[in-house]
Amino acid sequence: MKILSGRKIKKVYGKKLNAQEVLKGIDMEVNVGEFVGIMGPSGSGKTTLLNVLCSIDFATEGVIEINGKNLRMMKERELSSFRREQLGFIFQDYNLLDTLTVKENILLPLSMSKVSKTEAEQRFNEITNLLGIKELAPKYPNEISGGQKQRTSAARALITNPSIVFADEPTGALDSKAATALLSNLEKINFEKKVTIMMVTHDPVAASFCSRVLFLKDGQLYTELYKGEKNRKAFFQEIMNTQGVLGGDGYDA
Protein backbone atom coordinates (compact mmCIF):
# COMPACT_ATOMS: atom_id res chain seq x y z
CA MET A 1 0.00 0.00 0.00
CA LYS A 2 1.42 3.36 -1.09
CA ILE A 3 1.97 6.03 1.56
CA LEU A 4 4.03 8.61 -0.37
CA SER A 5 4.27 9.43 -4.04
CA GLY A 6 6.12 12.11 -5.95
CA ARG A 7 5.62 12.91 -9.62
CA LYS A 8 7.84 15.15 -11.74
CA ILE A 9 9.36 16.82 -8.67
CA LYS A 10 11.47 19.83 -9.60
CA LYS A 11 13.21 22.32 -7.36
CA VAL A 12 14.82 25.48 -8.71
CA TYR A 13 16.68 28.04 -6.61
CA GLY A 14 17.14 31.56 -7.94
CA LYS A 15 15.66 33.11 -11.07
CA LYS A 16 16.51 33.54 -14.74
CA LEU A 17 20.28 33.65 -15.28
CA ASN A 18 20.94 32.73 -11.64
CA ALA A 19 18.52 29.80 -11.61
CA GLN A 20 19.90 26.49 -10.33
CA GLU A 21 17.81 23.38 -10.95
CA VAL A 22 18.57 21.05 -8.03
CA LEU A 23 15.83 18.46 -8.63
CA LYS A 24 15.04 17.63 -12.25
CA GLY A 25 11.72 15.81 -12.44
CA ILE A 26 11.93 12.96 -9.93
CA ASP A 27 9.26 10.24 -9.83
CA MET A 28 9.13 7.99 -6.78
CA GLU A 29 6.85 6.01 -4.45
CA VAL A 30 7.17 4.67 -0.91
CA ASN A 31 5.00 1.90 0.49
CA VAL A 32 3.72 1.58 4.04
CA GLY A 33 6.32 -0.01 6.31
CA GLU A 34 9.34 0.60 4.07
CA PHE A 35 12.67 1.84 5.45
CA VAL A 36 14.03 3.86 2.52
CA GLY A 37 17.48 5.42 2.30
CA ILE A 38 18.41 8.33 0.04
CA MET A 39 22.05 8.55 -1.04
CA GLY A 40 24.15 10.38 -3.62
CA PRO A 41 27.31 12.42 -4.09
CA SER A 42 27.63 15.99 -2.89
CA GLY A 43 25.32 18.20 -4.95
CA SER A 44 23.05 15.34 -6.01
CA GLY A 45 19.96 16.84 -4.33
CA LYS A 46 19.29 14.24 -1.64
CA THR A 47 18.65 16.62 1.27
CA THR A 48 16.64 18.93 -1.00
CA LEU A 49 14.48 15.96 -1.98
CA LEU A 50 13.88 15.00 1.64
CA ASN A 51 12.99 18.61 2.50
CA VAL A 52 10.38 18.94 -0.23
CA LEU A 53 8.91 15.51 0.52
CA CYS A 54 8.37 16.44 4.17
CA SER A 55 7.22 20.03 3.42
CA ILE A 56 10.14 21.76 5.13
CA ASP A 57 10.64 23.25 1.67
CA PHE A 58 8.35 23.30 -1.36
CA ALA A 59 8.87 21.90 -4.83
CA THR A 60 8.93 24.36 -7.71
CA GLU A 61 6.94 21.91 -9.83
CA GLY A 62 5.41 18.49 -9.41
CA VAL A 63 2.99 16.66 -7.13
CA ILE A 64 3.78 15.21 -3.70
CA GLU A 65 1.14 13.18 -1.89
CA ILE A 66 1.26 11.61 1.57
CA ASN A 67 -1.67 9.39 2.53
CA GLY A 68 -3.45 10.73 -0.54
CA LYS A 69 -3.07 14.36 0.55
CA ASN A 70 -1.50 16.75 -1.96
CA LEU A 71 0.93 18.89 0.06
CA ARG A 72 0.88 21.79 -2.41
CA MET A 73 -2.91 22.05 -2.22
CA MET A 74 -3.00 22.51 1.57
CA LYS A 75 -3.32 25.90 3.22
CA GLU A 76 -0.76 26.76 5.90
CA ARG A 77 -2.94 25.90 8.89
CA GLU A 78 -3.99 22.57 7.39
CA LEU A 79 -0.40 21.77 6.47
CA SER A 80 0.81 22.64 9.98
CA SER A 81 -1.76 20.30 11.50
CA PHE A 82 -0.88 17.58 8.98
CA ARG A 83 2.83 17.83 9.84
CA ARG A 84 2.09 17.62 13.55
CA GLU A 85 -0.23 14.63 13.29
CA GLN A 86 1.18 12.63 10.36
CA LEU A 87 4.91 13.33 10.11
CA GLY A 88 7.89 12.71 12.37
CA PHE A 89 11.31 14.36 12.05
CA ILE A 90 14.78 13.31 13.20
CA PHE A 91 17.62 15.74 12.53
CA GLN A 92 21.38 15.45 12.83
CA ASP A 93 21.59 18.20 15.47
CA TYR A 94 18.86 16.70 17.73
CA ASN A 95 16.86 19.99 18.12
CA LEU A 96 16.18 19.29 21.81
CA LEU A 97 15.21 22.10 24.18
CA ASP A 98 17.88 22.45 26.86
CA THR A 99 15.43 23.79 29.45
CA LEU A 100 13.21 20.68 29.26
CA THR A 101 13.94 17.21 30.61
CA VAL A 102 14.21 14.22 28.31
CA LYS A 103 10.64 13.26 29.17
CA GLU A 104 9.34 16.78 28.55
CA ASN A 105 11.16 16.96 25.21
CA ILE A 106 9.65 13.65 24.09
CA LEU A 107 6.12 14.58 25.19
CA LEU A 108 6.28 18.07 23.66
CA PRO A 109 4.60 17.14 20.32
CA LEU A 110 1.58 15.83 22.24
CA SER A 111 1.07 19.12 24.09
CA MET A 112 -0.97 20.51 21.19
CA SER A 113 -2.97 17.34 20.59
CA LYS A 114 -6.06 15.83 22.19
CA VAL A 115 -4.15 12.86 23.59
CA SER A 116 -5.06 12.25 27.24
CA LYS A 117 -2.44 12.31 29.98
CA THR A 118 -2.89 8.58 30.52
CA GLU A 119 -2.40 7.75 26.86
CA ALA A 120 0.58 10.10 26.61
CA GLU A 121 2.19 8.28 29.53
CA GLN A 122 1.52 4.91 27.89
CA ARG A 123 3.07 6.08 24.62
CA PHE A 124 6.06 7.51 26.48
CA ASN A 125 6.70 4.25 28.32
CA GLU A 126 6.35 2.18 25.16
CA ILE A 127 8.66 4.24 22.95
CA THR A 128 11.31 4.85 25.61
CA ASN A 129 11.40 1.14 26.45
CA LEU A 130 11.87 0.33 22.77
CA LEU A 131 14.72 2.84 22.49
CA GLY A 132 16.26 1.97 25.85
CA ILE A 133 16.11 5.48 27.32
CA LYS A 134 13.32 5.30 29.90
CA GLU A 135 15.77 5.79 32.78
CA LEU A 136 16.88 9.11 31.23
CA ALA A 137 13.43 10.71 31.71
CA PRO A 138 14.40 13.19 34.48
CA LYS A 139 17.72 14.21 32.94
CA TYR A 140 18.36 17.32 30.83
CA PRO A 141 20.00 17.27 27.37
CA ASN A 142 23.32 18.56 28.74
CA GLU A 143 23.46 15.54 31.06
CA ILE A 144 23.27 12.84 28.39
CA SER A 145 25.46 11.62 25.53
CA GLY A 146 25.07 12.35 21.81
CA GLY A 147 23.66 8.89 21.17
CA GLN A 148 21.14 9.31 23.97
CA LYS A 149 20.17 12.74 22.62
CA GLN A 150 19.51 11.24 19.20
CA ARG A 151 17.41 8.43 20.67
CA THR A 152 15.48 11.08 22.58
CA SER A 153 14.96 12.93 19.29
CA ALA A 154 13.77 9.68 17.69
CA ALA A 155 11.34 9.07 20.57
CA ARG A 156 9.95 12.59 20.14
CA ALA A 157 9.43 11.92 16.42
CA LEU A 158 7.69 8.61 17.05
CA ILE A 159 5.45 9.47 20.02
CA THR A 160 2.74 10.98 17.81
CA ASN A 161 2.41 7.65 15.94
CA PRO A 162 3.26 9.36 12.64
CA SER A 163 2.46 7.84 9.26
CA ILE A 164 6.03 8.44 8.13
CA VAL A 165 9.30 9.55 9.76
CA PHE A 166 11.86 11.66 7.89
CA ALA A 167 15.45 11.45 9.12
CA ASP A 168 18.21 13.73 7.84
CA GLU A 169 21.67 12.28 8.54
CA PRO A 170 20.54 11.01 11.97
CA THR A 171 23.91 9.33 12.65
CA GLY A 172 26.07 12.15 11.29
CA ALA A 173 27.14 13.43 14.73
CA LEU A 174 27.43 10.02 16.41
CA ASP A 175 30.32 7.63 16.91
CA SER A 176 30.03 4.19 15.32
CA LYS A 177 28.72 2.48 18.48
CA ALA A 178 26.00 5.07 19.10
CA ALA A 179 25.11 5.13 15.38
CA THR A 180 24.69 1.35 15.26
CA ALA A 181 22.54 1.41 18.39
CA LEU A 182 20.25 4.07 16.91
CA LEU A 183 19.95 2.35 13.54
CA SER A 184 19.25 -1.01 15.18
CA ASN A 185 16.47 0.63 17.17
CA LEU A 186 14.99 2.28 14.07
CA GLU A 187 15.18 -1.03 12.20
CA LYS A 188 13.38 -2.75 15.08
CA ILE A 189 10.67 -0.09 15.26
CA ASN A 190 10.25 -0.21 11.48
CA PHE A 191 9.83 -4.00 11.61
CA GLU A 192 7.69 -4.32 14.74
CA LYS A 193 5.50 -1.21 14.45
CA LYS A 194 5.52 -0.95 10.64
CA VAL A 195 6.58 2.70 10.86
CA THR A 196 7.60 4.03 7.45
CA ILE A 197 11.02 5.73 7.52
CA MET A 198 12.83 7.83 4.91
CA MET A 199 16.46 8.60 5.72
CA VAL A 200 19.08 10.70 3.98
CA THR A 201 22.56 9.38 4.67
CA HIS A 202 26.06 9.48 3.20
CA ASP A 203 27.06 6.38 5.18
CA PRO A 204 26.75 2.97 3.46
CA VAL A 205 26.71 1.28 6.87
CA ALA A 206 23.63 3.31 7.84
CA ALA A 207 22.03 2.65 4.45
CA SER A 208 22.51 -1.11 4.89
CA PHE A 209 19.82 -1.03 7.61
CA CYS A 210 17.27 0.12 5.00
CA SER A 211 15.00 -2.13 2.95
CA ARG A 212 15.58 0.01 -0.17
CA VAL A 213 18.07 2.70 -1.14
CA LEU A 214 17.50 5.42 -3.75
CA PHE A 215 20.59 6.91 -5.39
CA LEU A 216 20.48 10.43 -6.81
CA LYS A 217 22.90 11.95 -9.28
CA ASP A 218 22.71 15.51 -10.60
CA GLY A 219 19.17 15.99 -9.34
CA GLN A 220 17.78 12.83 -10.90
CA LEU A 221 17.06 9.31 -9.71
CA TYR A 222 20.07 7.31 -10.86
CA THR A 223 19.16 3.84 -9.57
CA GLU A 224 17.71 2.02 -6.57
CA LEU A 225 18.70 -1.10 -4.65
CA TYR A 226 16.44 -3.52 -2.81
CA LYS A 227 17.68 -5.47 0.17
CA GLY A 228 15.25 -8.34 -0.29
CA GLU A 229 16.59 -11.51 1.35
CA LYS A 230 20.19 -10.27 1.48
CA ASN A 231 21.87 -9.97 4.83
CA ARG A 232 23.15 -6.58 5.91
CA LYS A 233 26.77 -7.37 4.99
CA ALA A 234 25.86 -8.31 1.42
CA PHE A 235 23.60 -5.28 1.04
CA PHE A 236 26.36 -3.03 2.41
CA GLN A 237 28.73 -4.32 -0.29
CA GLU A 238 26.15 -3.70 -3.01
CA ILE A 239 25.66 -0.15 -1.72
CA MET A 240 29.43 0.39 -1.66
CA ASN A 241 29.74 -0.80 -5.25
CA THR A 242 27.01 1.55 -6.44
CA GLN A 243 28.46 4.44 -4.47
CA GLY A 244 31.83 3.73 -6.08
CA VAL A 245 30.32 3.99 -9.54
CA LEU A 246 28.62 7.28 -8.64
CA GLY A 247 31.78 8.73 -7.11
CA GLY A 248 32.06 11.22 -4.29
CA ASP A 249 31.57 10.73 -0.59
CA GLY A 250 27.82 11.27 -0.60
CA TYR A 251 27.85 14.28 1.73
CA ASP A 252 25.02 16.75 1.92
CA ALA A 253 23.20 18.34 -0.99
Side-chain angles (χ1 to χ4, degrees):
M1 181 178 173
K2 182 171 62 180
I3 188 170
L4 182 152
S5 69
R7 299 188 295 277
K8 308 300 181 188
I9 301 171
K10 293 185 179 182
K11 180 63 181 179
V12 179
Y13 291 104
K15 295 181 179 179
K16 297 182 180 179
L17 295 177
N18 294 319
Q20 180 185 8
E21 190 176 29
V22 180
L23 301 177
K24 303 175 182 178
I26 292 176
D27 294 320
M28 57 171 294
E29 291 186 351
V30 176
N31 292 320
V32 173
E34 278 197 287
F35 189 170
V36 180
I38 303 175
M39 300 189 77
S42 179
S44 61
K46 55 188 182 296
T47 293
T48 300
L49 176 61
L50 189 82
N51 287 344
V52 299
L53 291 176
C54 71
S55 74
I56 287 176
D57 198 357
F58 294 96
T60 306
E61 294 181 28
V63 176
I64 298 168
E65 294 183 342
I66 298 177
N67 276 341
K69 295 276 190 177
N70 187 329
L71 299 187
R72 292 186 72 185
M73 299 299 291
M74 292 186 192
K75 294 183 178 179
E76 185 55 42
R77 181 175 293 183
E78 183 185 4
L79 184 57
S80 178
S81 177
F82 183 81
R83 282 195 202 102
R84 187 170 61 248
E85 296 171 3
Q86 298 288 327
L87 311 183
F89 302 91
I90 306 173
F91 302 103
Q92 181 177 336
D93 58 0
Y94 320 130
N95 284 356
L96 301 178
L97 297 178
D98 292 334
T99 56
L100 300 182
T101 65
V102 164
K103 184 172 184 177
E104 289 167 343
N105 267 287
I106 293 170
L107 290 173
L108 189 61
L110 297 183
S111 64
M112 298 179 67
S113 70
K114 297 178 181 179
V115 174
S116 69
K117 187 174 180 180
T118 300
E119 184 180 347
E121 194 69 24
Q122 289 175 342
R123 290 192 193 183
F124 174 81
N125 290 333
E126 180 184 11
I127 199 63
T128 52
N129 279 327
L130 274 170
L131 289 167
I133 55 171
K134 188 175 181 181
E135 73 283 358
L136 301 179
K139 293 184 178 293
Y140 287 87
N142 65 354
E143 299 175 313
I144 61 178
S145 69
Q148 291 168 333
K149 288 178 184 178
Q150 194 57 293
R151 280 184 281 163
T152 299
S153 176
R156 182 184 57 193
L158 292 160
I159 200 163
T160 58
N161 294 331
S163 297
I164 185 168
V165 172
F166 295 94
D168 188 6
E169 298 280 11
T171 62
L174 305 181
D175 61 36
S176 59
K177 183 178 179 181
T180 299
L182 174 69
L183 291 162
S184 296
N185 282 315
L186 290 178
E187 185 181 46
K188 181 180 179 182
I189 289 167
N190 168 254
F191 179 76
E192 292 183 2
K193 296 177 71 67
K194 305 303 179 189
V195 175
T196 308
I197 302 172
M198 286 204 72
M199 176 178 72
V200 163
T201 183
H202 70 273
D203 184 0
V205 174
S208 69
F209 283 84
C210 299
S211 55
R212 177 163 60 110
V213 180
L214 307 177
F215 288 87
L216 302 187
K217 182 178 182 180
D218 299 329
Q220 296 178 307
L221 184 60
Y222 174 77
T223 190
E224 56 187 320
L225 300 179
Y226 288 84
K227 189 173 190 177
E229 299 301 315
K230 304 182 193 77
N231 60 35
R232 198 157 60 79
K233 185 177 180 180
F235 195 40
F236 166 79
Q237 191 56 58
E238 192 173 358
I239 292 166
M240 285 286 289
N241 293 341
T242 303
Q243 198 174 40
V245 172
L246 278 170
D249 57 21
Y251 276 90
D252 207 346

